[in-house]
Amino acid sequence: MRIVPLSQARELPLWRRPVTLLLLMAFAMPLAFATWSALLNNFVIEVADFTGVEIGWLHTVREIPGFLAVGVIALIIFIREQVLGLVSLLLLGAATAITAYFPSLGGILTLTMLSSIGFHYYETVNQSLQLQWLPKDRAPQVLGWLVAVGSAAALLSYSLLVVTWRAFDLSYATVYMLGGGATVLIAIYCMVAFPQFQAPDPQLKTFVLRRRYWLYYALQFMSGARRQIFVVFAAFMMVERFGFDVHEVTALLLINFVANMILAPFMGRAVHRFGERATLGFEYIGLIVVFLLYGGIYYFGWGVALAATLYVIDHIFFALAFALKTYFQKIADPRDIAPTAAVAFTINHIAAVFLPAGLGYLWVVSPGAVFGLAAGMAATSLMLALMIPRHPAPGNETILNRLVPAPAE
C-alpha cells in the first residue's frame, strides 16, 4: 500500500490524483442509491406485499445508521479513512445488488440496514476527505462540481431505468444488480488504482464536541429537520393530492438532476465570491417562500403546475447546502475534521428519528400546517446563518465573537 502525502499528489498523473478519486466516488454512490430509491416503493409493494406498517419500519431502520454515524470515530482508529470510505461504498453497492433476492420483511430490512450503513458511513467519511483534501480557496468550486457529477450519475440511473424498464421487460433483480454492481466495480477500481493519500494534519480519533462549533451544529440540526419534510412530504403531496404516477414523479426527479448538473458549478462560484453567510441566507429565504407556497396549495387550492415548479426549485435550493461544509472547513482545527464530520452527521439525523412519524399525525389533520412548520424551520435557519461572519476563521466562528470572547474549550 503506497502512501502519498497530499503535497506530492500533484506530481501524479491526473487520473490518480485526489480530486479524481473524489469525482469517481461522487459518481459511484448515486448509481446504487438512485436505483434503490427509484424501485423501492414498487418493489416492496408488488413483491413483498408491504403495507404502511412495514414501510414505516423500513424507513426507521434506514435512518438508524445515520444517527449512529459517530461510530466512524471508532473505526478510523483501526482503518484509514480512505479505505473506510471505499469499503462503505462497496457495502452500499453489494447490498443494493442483491436486494431483489430477499423479498421478505426480514430480508429487506437486513439489506436496508446494510446498504444504509454503507451509505451513511460513506457520506460521513467522504465529507471529511473533501474538507481535508481540497484547499480552502478551491473547495466551493470543486464541491459544486462534485454535486454536478453526483447529479449526472443519478440522472443516468433514472434515465436508463425509464428507457429500459418497459422496453426490455426488466426484472427487479436485473436492475438492482446492474446499479449496485456498477458501484461495486468502481469502488474496487478506486481501491486498486489510487494510492493512499496522507493529509498534512493527523485526525483526532476521539469524540469531539467543541463549544466554538455550536453554530455549525445548530445549522446541521435544522438542515436535517428541513430535509425530512422535503423528502417525506413533498413527494408524498405530489402523489396524494395530484395523483402523480411513477413516471411523472420520476420526470420531476430527472428535471432536478439536470438542473443541479447545470447550476451546481455556478453555485460553487457563488459561495466562493459572496461567502457562506450570503449564500446560505439566499437559500433559506428561498426555502421560506417555497414552503409557504406549498402550504398555500392546501389553503388556497393552487394547482399542480405550481406544485411541480416548487418541487424542482426546492431541490435546487437544497443543493446550496455544501456552503455549510465550506463554513466548517474555514473555522475548524484541521485535526477536528474527521471526528466532527461524524458528530455533525449524527446531529443532522436526530430529527430523522422522530420528525417523520410525529409530522405524519399532523399531516392527517392539516398538511398545510406541516409546510408552515417547515417555513418556520427555514426562518430559524436564516437567523442562524446571519450569525456567520463574512470571513469565518478559527476564533471568528460567529459574529458574537466580536462582542464576547470565545469560551475556553
Side-chain angles (χ1 to χ4, degrees):
M1 180 180 65
R2 184 186 176 196
I3 298 178
V4 176
L6 279 184
S7 59
Q8 300 176 16
R10 66 183 61 185
E11 301 173 7
L12 296 171
L14 181 61
W15 59 275
R16 299 190 70 201
R17 293 181 186 175
V19 172
T20 306
L21 175 56
L22 291 175
L23 288 169
L24 278 174
M25 292 165 66
F27 185 82
M29 188 278 288
L31 294 178
F33 185 71
T35 300
W36 183 85
S37 301
L39 296 181
L40 175 66
N41 290 318
N42 293 82
F43 174 71
V44 298
I45 292 173
E46 296 175 12
V47 178
D49 296 320
F50 271 29
T51 66
V53 174
E54 289 84 7
I55 290 175
W57 275 107
L58 184 147
H59 283 285
T60 297
V61 166
R62 185 175 64 87
E63 293 293 353
I64 290 173
F67 185 67
L68 299 177
V70 288
V72 167
I73 299 173
L75 291 175
I76 63 175
I77 296 175
F78 309 101
I79 308 173
R80 294 179 61 87
E81 280 189 89
Q82 184 176 331
V83 174
L84 177 58
L86 291 173
V87 169
S88 299
L89 192 61
L90 185 67
L91 177 60
L92 168 63
T96 300
I98 62 175
T99 293
Y101 294 102
F102 297 87
S104 64
L105 176 62
I108 292 173
L109 290 183
T110 300
L111 289 172
T112 295
M113 174 64 80
L114 291 174
S115 65
S116 184
I117 291 172
F119 172 79
H120 286 98
Y121 278 36
Y122 160 77
E123 283 291 323
T124 302
V125 172
N126 185 47
Q127 176 175 310
S128 172
L129 294 179
Q130 288 172 355
L131 299 185
Q132 291 179 66
W133 290 357
L134 299 178
K136 293 180 182 180
D137 59 337
R138 291 188 58 221
Q141 297 98 314
V142 177
L143 288 174
W145 281 108
L146 292 175
V147 171
V149 167
S151 296
L155 175 64
L156 177 64
S157 295
Y158 276 102
S159 299
L160 290 176
L161 184 58
V162 170
V163 171
T164 61
W165 180 258
R166 296 298 181 191
F168 296 97
D169 193 26
L170 297 178
S171 66
Y172 288 109
T174 300
V175 178
Y176 276 130
M177 184 62 70
L178 289 173
T183 298
V184 168
L185 291 176
I186 294 174
I188 293 174
Y189 171 79
C190 291
M191 291 176 178
V192 174
F194 290 88
Q196 293 292 309
F197 297 111
Q198 180 67 58
D201 299 290
Q203 296 297 292
L204 295 177
K205 296 177 174 61
T206 57
F207 185 84
V208 172
L209 193 68
R210 301 199 188 281
R211 281 180 287 181
R212 68 186 187 89
Y213 299 157
W214 72 267
L215 181 57
Y216 174 68
Y217 299 145
L219 286 166
Q220 281 284 3
F221 176 80
M222 297 307 302
S223 174
R226 293 192 321 274
R227 187 189 70 250
Q228 288 302 312
I229 293 180
F230 172 71
V231 170
V232 176
F233 296 106
F236 188 72
M237 174 192 68
M238 304 305 296
V239 177
E240 182 190 57
R241 185 169 181 85
F242 298 109
F244 269 42
D245 291 327
V246 173
H247 71 280
E248 292 172 316
V249 175
T250 302
L252 283 180
L253 292 172
L254 292 176
I255 294 171
N256 289 339
F257 294 136
V258 171
N260 277 337
M261 283 177 57
I262 297 171
L263 296 177
F266 295 100
M267 295 176 184
R269 294 179 192 174
V271 174
H272 179 69
R273 179 174 179 181
F274 300 108
E276 288 78 11
R277 179 175 61 189
T279 307
L280 289 172
F282 175 75
E283 175 193 354
Y284 299 147
I285 291 172
L287 289 175
I288 291 170
V289 174
V290 166
F291 284 132
L292 289 176
L293 291 176
Y294 271 144
I297 290 172
Y298 286 91
Y299 291 119
F300 303 109
W302 295 331
V304 64
L306 176 63
T309 301
L310 291 175
Y311 188 81
V312 174
I313 294 174
D314 196 350
H315 198 272
I316 293 172
F317 275 127
F318 273 102
L320 283 168
F322 63 77
L324 197 53
K325 293 183 183 180
T326 60
Y327 164 63
F328 175 67
Q329 185 188 39
K330 291 178 179 179
I331 67 172
D333 182 325
R335 300 172 301 167
D336 289 348
I337 289 177
T340 304
V343 170
F345 222 70
T346 293
I347 291 172
N348 187 276
H349 282 74
I350 290 174
V353 176
F354 64 87
L355 200 60
L359 291 182
Y361 292 102
L362 179 59
W363 182 270
V364 174
V365 178
S366 175
V370 171
F371 292 120
L373 182 61
M377 293 178 183
T380 302
S381 298
L382 174 61
M383 290 186 287
L384 291 171
L386 293 176
M387 300 178 70
I388 297 175
R390 176 62 182 90
H391 299 288
N396 189 35
E397 295 87 2
T398 79
I399 60 174
L400 298 180
N401 289 98
R402 304 170 189 170
L403 306 174
V404 180
E409 296 294 351

